[in-house]
Amino acid sequence: MTALTSPLGRLRWTFLDGLTLVGRELGRLRQEPGQIIAALVFPVIMVVLFGYVFGSAIQVPDGGDYREYLMPGLFAMVTFSAWLGVMTRMATDASRGVMDRFRSMPMARVAVPFGQTGADLLTGLLMLAIMVGTGLLVGWQPHRGLIPTAQAFLLMILLRYALSWVGVYVGLAVKNDQVADAMVPLGLPFTMLSNAFVPTDGMPGWLRFLSDWNPVSALTAASRELFGNPGAPSGNVAWPLAHPVTAVLLWSAALLVIFVPLSLRAYVRRGR
């Protein structure tokens, strides 16, 4: 058994090829500075728009500063955007024949989806860092110390990575990049239908149910709890909001268990 045919050798081969494709995706960003500028400006616009424009008309439950209430929701919103970007890039590469060229090269076949998700994780960290800096400038801050703060950001990273595999699968399932582009606006209702920007108490019963069981709401509630920001759930609330950290872990595990094998299977089948 050679080094490349052994299980450990194949794993190492896949990992190295995946790192190469991560570098390819980051290099593509350097060639398209507009995407970098958008990634830098978007978090700032979100903080200013929601924090100052909408914040003046929204009351925080139990009092408190709206921008401190808002920032965990914006962190969750940026986290949830992972699947949209990966979906678009996968569909674009598939429709333009890039994946066919990858398959003709002596590389691990499953390295492509791993490279896409890895690259998205790095760009997501950059966006998150920019939003954290912007939040600190407008008065947001965590109050519970270093460890709970780190736990909150680790939850965001974990859920973002899990959601990126959703993007891989959907990007491979759609017919072309035009269909993927048309699906991007569909991501907005998922973030708006949550507790990210307003409390869910005043929503109709059926709408509140959907909002409370939205993974965006669970991540937002977990972040508020770990940061010590206003709006942490209390009283008689849905299970995901009463146990938000556990809910985020379960959502992440479920998405990975379902969509990693689906994505790898879809990538292999698309090449047949």
Side-chain angles (χ1 to χ4, degrees):
M1 181 180 293
T2 65
L4 288 181
T5 57
S6 67
L8 185 60
R10 288 196 298 269
L11 181 62
R12 181 175 179 273
W13 182 29
T14 302
F15 177 74
L16 292 176
D17 287 345
L19 286 181
T20 300
L21 290 173
V22 168
R24 178 239 178 194
E25 291 300 321
L26 296 179
R28 184 162 66 174
L29 286 177
R30 289 197 299 268
Q31 297 172 2
E32 300 175 0
Q35 292 189 21
I36 299 178
I37 294 173
L40 296 174
V41 173
F42 176 76
V44 179
I45 293 176
M46 290 295 100
V47 173
V48 173
L49 178 63
F50 288 99
Y52 288 95
V53 178
F54 295 162
S56 60
I58 298 175
Q59 297 296 321
V60 177
D62 301 323
D65 183 73
Y66 180 72
R67 285 183 290 278
E68 287 220 326
Y69 174 86
L70 170 70
M71 289 308 302
L74 291 181
F75 293 147
M77 182 179 182
V78 169
T79 299
F80 192 80
S81 67
W83 76 277
L84 298 171
V86 175
M87 173 192 69
T88 303
R89 290 192 296 272
M90 289 295 293
T92 299
D93 284 350
S95 62
R96 295 181 181 178
V98 176
M99 289 185 186
D100 293 334
R101 292 201 297 272
F102 285 150
R103 292 188 180 94
S104 67
M105 298 177 181
M107 61 184 297
R109 302 190 75 178
V110 297
V112 173
F114 277 105
Q116 286 281 3
T117 55
D120 176 79
L121 193 60
L122 293 178
T123 56
L125 288 174
L126 174 62
M127 292 183 67
L128 192 60
I130 296 169
M131 184 162 281
V132 168
T134 307
L136 292 172
L137 288 176
V138 301
W140 167 84
Q141 60 179 321
H143 300 283
R144 294 191 56 194
L146 180 60
I147 293 179
T149 299
Q151 290 173 339
F153 288 120
L154 286 174
L155 284 178
M156 297 175 200
I157 293 169
L158 174 62
L159 185 57
R160 183 180 184 96
Y161 186 71
L163 286 165
S164 68
W165 282 98
V166 179
V168 171
Y169 178 72
V170 177
L172 290 170
V174 299
K175 293 183 178 180
N176 51 53
D177 52 333
Q178 287 82 12
V179 176
D181 289 337
M183 292 180 63
V184 169
L186 298 179
L188 183 61
F190 287 98
T191 55
M192 300 302 294
L193 186 60
S194 70
N195 62 354
F197 305 107
V198 295
T200 62
D201 298 347
M203 297 181 180
W206 65 272
L207 195 60
R208 181 179 179 180
F209 175 83
L210 294 176
S211 176
D212 289 346
W213 285 85
N214 187 338
V216 178
S217 293
L219 181 60
T220 301
S223 300
R224 286 174 181 150
E225 179 181 305
L226 293 169
F227 290 143
N229 293 149
S234 60
N236 186 19
V237 295
W239 186 89
L241 301 187
H243 308 86
V245 175
T246 303
V248 173
L249 293 174
L250 291 176
W251 271 113
S252 302
L255 291 173
L256 288 171
V257 168
I258 294 171
F259 284 97
V260 169
L262 283 178
S263 299
L264 297 180
R265 188 180 308 163
Y267 178 75
V268 172
R269 286 181 175 179
R270 184 140 187 170
R272 293 176 181 174

